[in-house]
Amino acid sequence: MTDINFAAIGINHAHIYGQVECLKRAGARFVAFHAVEDDLAKTFGEKFPEARRVADPKEILEDASIAIITTAAIPADRAAISIAAMQHGKDVLSDKPGMTTFAQLDEIKRVQKETGRIYGVLYSEHFEVRATVEAGNLIAQGAIGKVINTVGLGPHAIRLNQRPEWFYNRQRYGGILCDIASHQFEQFLFFSDAMDAEVVSASVANRAHPDKPGLQDVGDVHLKSANTSGYIRVDWFTPDGLPTWGDGRLTILGTEGYIELRKYIDIAGRPGENHLFIVNKEGPRHIDCSGVDLPFGRQFLDDVRNRTQTAMPQERCFNAMKLALTAQQLAERGTEWAQ
């Protein structure tokens, strides 16, 4: 069903490829994109030849046939793009982080409420990871009882020679907790079945990259909701010998069992991605989640058509970023990054 056209404005992070594929897989039609950078546009255009490159984003914003704008611009620039899109009657699907300051979050919330548009963030470590989706399915079925704690680990490979300069500029990428830990904040809220939570403690540091003073290469957070507690650690210390960009993990403790996800690799030797381990009254078992359905894209398009909130409640979308910004601010107190 190709009744929905979408376009991209800002393609600085490679997540944009996943965002486009998510919407295309669900049946939307990719028609146009705007990118300032010729090198990025060349590769992107070769991957998606059906979409025309436009020189001025106004051409996209003022095109009434385009319903959705997706963006993976430099993080500090995403809010302005999203706000302009909503003010032009478009729904938004942003890369994470959706914004880098509380002022941007407040303005996005104001414009979203004023326009009635949908503002979504594609938290890919949840919505584009089949093991994470299956964990949600199992928990909904009561497989581990009531969730009481989560531990989310988001290690990444830094690959210094492949990163643009904005990647090391704290004001441009927003800080490590705002940026990559936003995935884990959203998952904590989802698996806790909560709309909001409290940041108990947070820290960030640059432990091993003195030549890149704007980089935060490790960060961690403790948080809690009414019925759950959680821990998050994110870092840029994936060893060179790991054959993928990061050993992303999530452990979910329930009152009657627990689930551990090895999202991108099983270092014990099982091939492929999307490994789920569950231990409950039936015993321990491994589930290969490579065939699990990913419903987010279809749900998002249904929300666009029907003005509903099935893909992700708007409040949870905003609060995941509020928690990330809160943790970032708390972690930076007394550091060289403090605002």
Side-chain angles (χ1 to χ4, degrees), residues 177 199-203 222 325-335:
L177 299 179
V199 175
V200 178
S201 69
S203 73
H222 286 91
L325 290 165
T326 301
Q328 188 69 50
Q329 183 182 69
L330 178 61
E332 289 180 346
R333 288 180 183 172
T335 73

Side-chain angles (χ1 to χ4, degrees), residues 11 57 61 96 99 104 125 179 228 237-238 253 285:
I11 62 171
L61 294 171
K96 62 82 227 160
M99 67 291 297
Q104 290 179 348
E125 293 188 27
D179 181 13
T228 56
F237 288 107
T238 290
L253 176 65
R285 66 188 193 276

